[in-house]
Amino acid sequence: MKLLALAASSSSKSINKQLATYAASLVEGADVEILDINDYEMPLFSQDREDELGHPELAQRFFAKIGEVDGIIISFAEHNGSYTAAYKNLFDWTSRIDQKVFQNKPMVLLSTSPGPGGANTVLTVAKGSAPHFAGDVKASLSIPSFFDNFDMEAGKLRNEELKQALYEAVNKL
């Protein structure tokens, strides 16, 4: 199974990237690519920019990456209750290539934050939105209080209950 894992965050210290990377490692036998959305940074999407630029090469490459894999893991950071600007911009550009951004791929959607809410607000939005863009959401999970539940040194969840829930979620791919 070819698997694409990414954080919907542009932070170089993204806890969501750590979570997505760890989650992907739990899928036995998977060939995993960890994608950094910073490699797909483009001008802010607008109709004027699209008229000027068409479909930027980076958006086309991102769309192609999705097409090449058998499954997707995305871990969402939450900015003011919604997607990060970096992820939303990449998504907006890509959706102009094809509204079926996720190309009917099975997906596991995750989120985490330092606080007890675990970025659950944005995860709820993502779960509701993904099917409209041909995302086949197999499971979702919010990890609250990241620094209390994740062993940064070992790079894995220390909370056994959450670890089991994550294992079950990603193995639905």
Side-chain angles (χ1 to χ4, degrees), residues 69-89:
V69 299
D70 302 307
I72 305 165
I73 295 173
I74 303 176
S75 188
F76 291 91
E78 185 173 286
H79 287 187
N80 297 316
S82 191
Y83 299 116
T84 64
Y87 174 79
K88 182 69 167 79
N89 193 54

Side-chain angles (χ1 to χ4, degrees), residues 105-109 135-140 168-173:
K105 303 295 178 169
M107 307 174 72
V108 171
L109 304 180
D136 181 10
V137 180
K138 297 297 187 186
S140 65
E168 290 172 11
V170 297
N171 281 286
K172 290 181 180 178
L173 290 170

Side-chain angles (χ1 to χ4, degrees), residues 113-120 142-146:
S113 72
N120 199 39
S142 169
I143 304 294
S145 306
F146 182 79

Side-chain angles (χ1 to χ4, degrees), residues 70-137:
D70 302 307
I72 305 165
I73 295 173
I74 303 176
S75 188
F76 291 91
E78 185 173 286
H79 287 187
N80 297 316
S82 191
Y83 299 116
T84 64
Y87 174 79
K88 182 69 167 79
N89 193 54
L90 175 57
F91 181 85
D92 288 345
W93 275 112
T94 306
S95 73
R96 301 301 283 192
I97 294 168
D98 188 328
Q99 188 94 24
K100 295 178 181 178
V101 173
F102 299 120
Q103 304 171 50
N104 298 307
K105 303 295 178 169
M107 307 174 72
V108 171
L109 304 180
L110 307 171
S111 68
T112 193
S113 72
N120 199 39
T121 301
V122 71
L123 183 61
T124 300
V125 171
K127 285 188 304 190
S129 171
H132 298 288
F133 298 95
D136 181 10
V137 180

